[in-house]
Amino acid sequence: MLKCPECAAVLDVDEDDVEEGEILPCPECEVDLEVVGLNPVQVNAISGDEEIEEDEDEEEDEKVEEVEDKEADDEEDEDEE
């Protein structure tokens, strides 16, 4: 029997059919749960903070790419002169 770590609600899932990394919604508290173990099946609640961190990482990567592109353009301009 699989329970939500946040509210202890019983999750109606076939433990043989879940895969590690799969996201399951809790029917009671509506938190997203990630399957982190299979034998036995274990789930962890996914907080909104993790999603925010991923967004911040993506924004940082985009900024780095912009700087690298600008530096490459500047080098090309210098080479043309």
Side-chain angles (χ1 to χ4, degrees), residues 23-72:
I23 306 298
L24 307 170
C26 175
E28 294 295 321
C29 67
E30 298 180 0
V31 71
D32 286 333
L33 306 168
E34 179 180 11
V35 177
V36 294
L38 294 177
N39 195 10
V41 175
Q42 298 175 336
V43 294
N44 283 345
I46 299 175
S47 68
D49 294 344
E50 290 176 8
E51 293 175 14
I52 291 170
E53 288 175 14
E54 289 176 10
D55 291 343
E56 289 173 353
D57 289 345
E58 289 174 8
E59 289 175 9
E60 184 64 29
D61 290 345
E62 289 174 7
K63 289 179 184 176
V64 168
E65 288 176 12
E66 288 175 9
V67 168
E68 289 173 349
D69 289 345
K70 180 166 180 15
E71 289 173 353

